[in-house]
Amino acid sequence: MEISIVKAGPDQLKPKPADESNLGFGDIFTDHMFLMNYESAKGWFNPRVEPYSKISIEPAAMAIHYGQEIFEGLKAYHGDNGGISLFRPRDNYDRFNRSARRMCMPEVDIDLAITGTAELILLDREWIPKSPGTSLYIRPTMIATEPHLGVRPAKEYLFFVIIGPVGAYYKEGLNPVKIYVEDFYVRAARGGTGEAKTAGNYAASLFAAEEAKAKGFTQVLWLDAAEHKYVEEVGTMNMFFVIDDTVITSPLGGSVLAGITRDSAIQLVRDWGMKFEERALSIDEVISAAQDGRLKEAFGTGTAAVISPVGQITYKGKDHIVAGGKMGEISQRLYDEITAIQYGKKKDPHGWVIHID
Ligand code: COI
């Protein structure tokens, strides 16, 4: 399918951020976006790159009422050699299609989605920041647009990709964050939609996250919904714990998002010959390891945050300091290695980086 391109006129171009040290996350969007439409009788049609603008949908659009929405998060980088690359885009669009299946939404053609994303990025290439720690965040999204109020899968959808320059996700940057172990509210139950990247999972996380934030925490660590016993994820990141010399992360199990950065971290830890376990890890085991001094590190992984070290875990009113409240050695090594591969400073043995220019 041919992708049509309408470029923004001079009066539609927005000023680019002057200060790359202060980009934050998720507030700035470039001059264009990629869109396509779906109708069940026609399939996907009209793939196009257009000026970034408001979109118009009916108040009865089903996404608004019943939450048929999915999204992805991936990044583009200015390599040291001046080229532009994407990190594991096929894995993101594979996951997008898994989310689509779970939410009864149509899958996209991955090659077309990657081509449209790449054309959008190349058109807005001047927006890709160049300073260390910055990148271009890419947000593919699909919403149900059919105007209808009966509860069933919609027959019409809009797919769009918006992009924008970003810096660190957390205000802490690479400084360790404090996490609050949530033992009442739950994010996702087995058999639910926890492993789909769909808006409702994030909406479900807000109340507990706000309560935790008011107490001075950056993130909530979610436990399994059935027993409140096993650690799952923090909502914007997967979690890893280093107990003695073993790196441990929870299995996916249907309620945990299959993070691409999680998968990259697992691969690297294996490449380095470290002891690694993907297994159910109870919060009691984490806390007793922290008390005995055997919890060497804890960190989160995610596209937005990359690697985020955890300096404090609070459970049932007790604070447990991790790695002396500093970034641990493995967290730092993973951050350095993943970002070096992403920026093209190091060899990419797993073929994660796709050059688009
Ligand atoms: C990401 O890391 O890209 C995410 O999707 C997490 C978040 C900002 C929702």
Side-chain angles (χ1 to χ4, degrees):
M1 234 184 303
E2 184 99 349
I3 299 172
S4 63
I5 297 185
V6 176
K7 287 191 190 171
D11 54 332
Q12 288 172 301
L13 298 177
K14 295 181 273 191
K16 297 185 183 62
D19 179 8
E20 285 193 359
S21 66
N22 211 7
L23 292 172
F25 179 88
D27 293 316
I28 306 167
F29 303 100
T30 65
D31 291 321
H32 296 87
M33 57 187 182
F34 171 57
L35 308 97
M36 53 186 176
N37 297 81
Y38 178 93
E39 287 175 14
S40 52
K42 266 173 136 171
W44 288 106
F45 61 96
N46 196 14
R48 60 205 184 272
V49 176
E50 290 181 352
Y52 180 98
S53 73
K54 291 185 178 163
I55 52 174
S56 164
I57 56 171
E58 296 228 16
M62 292 178 83
I64 299 171
H65 301 274
Y66 306 127
Q68 262 190 310
E69 188 272 4
I70 58 168
F71 71 94
E72 267 305 320
L74 65 157
K75 283 177 172 171
Y77 306 85
H78 245 301
D80 275 8
N81 55 3
I84 299 170
S85 57
L86 296 173
F87 189 69
R88 307 188 67 174
R90 195 161 283 278
D91 295 300
N92 282 92
Y93 277 114
D94 270 339
R95 187 173 64 184
F96 190 74
N97 278 347
R98 292 201 299 277
S99 299
R101 286 198 290 277
R102 180 64 180 84
M103 303 305 291
C104 299
M105 298 167 81
E107 294 179 38
V108 295
D109 178 305
I110 293 184
D111 290 320
L112 178 65
I114 294 178
T115 304
T117 304
E119 292 206 12
L120 168 65
I121 293 166
L122 293 178
L123 190 57
D124 282 342
R125 60 188 303 149
E126 297 302 321
W127 285 84
I128 308 174
K130 296 197 170 89
S131 313
T134 65
S135 56
L136 186 82
Y137 188 74
I138 304 162
R139 174 54 65 91
T141 310
M142 193 199 307
I143 55 172
T145 48
E146 184 194 355
H148 177 70
L149 294 185
V151 179
R152 58 153 171 77
K155 295 178 181 154
E156 294 166 22
Y157 296 86
L158 176 70
F159 169 84
F160 58 86
V161 181
I162 52 175
I163 56 178
V166 297
Y169 184 73
Y170 297 118
K171 68 170 177 8
E172 288 88 343
L174 265 191
N175 293 318
V177 296
K178 290 185 189 178
I179 58 175
Y180 179 82
V181 182
E182 179 57 63
D183 59 359
F184 178 72
Y185 299 111
V186 295
R187 170 189 172 276
R190 239 165 226 225
T193 58
E195 71 180 344
K197 216 159 166 58
T198 186
N201 292 331
Y202 297 81
S205 75
L206 296 177
F207 193 83
E210 284 301 290
E211 278 195 353
K213 216 189 281 172
K215 294 182 200 145
F217 297 94
T218 317
Q219 280 283 321
V220 167
L221 173 59
W222 299 102
L223 302 178
D224 75 283
E227 295 182 82
H228 293 203
K229 186 170 169 192
Y230 296 101
V231 299
E232 295 218 317
E233 58 160 274
V234 299
T236 50
M237 299 190 296
N238 295 108
M239 278 300 300
F240 287 72
F241 299 86
V242 184
I243 299 183
D244 296 321
D245 57 355
T246 304
V247 181
I248 307 168
T249 197
S250 311
L252 298 173
S255 53
V256 174
L257 188 85
I260 313 288
T261 314
R262 172 188 184 273
D263 185 72
S264 308
I266 292 173
Q267 187 63 59
L268 290 174
V269 161
R270 285 190 165 135
D271 290 352
W272 296 335
M274 289 177 179
K275 286 190 202 156
F276 169 72
E277 292 172 4
E278 183 181 17
R279 65 164 168 91
L281 177 64
S282 71
I283 187 64
D284 288 346
E285 184 180 345
V286 172
I287 298 301
S288 83
Q291 283 166 340
D292 300 346
R294 296 191 304 115
L295 178 63
K296 300 291 194 264
E297 292 183 41
F299 58 90
T301 61
T303 296
V306 192
I307 300 290
S308 179
V310 172
Q312 180 183 317
I313 299 176
T314 297
Y315 181 51
K316 295 205 186 290
K318 267 190 101 177
D319 299 338
H320 304 274
I321 303 299
V322 187
K326 303 207 177 67
M327 186 159 188
E329 218 175 282
I330 297 175
S331 317
Q332 184 75 56
R333 187 171 173 198
L334 280 169
Y335 177 83
D336 292 345
E337 187 74 15
I338 291 173
T339 53
I341 293 172
Q342 289 170 334
Y343 291 100
K345 291 181 201 296
K346 268 203 164 173
K347 272 230 296 286
D348 169 29
H350 300 290
W352 289 335
V353 173
I354 305 297
H355 296 280
I356 59 170
D357 185 49

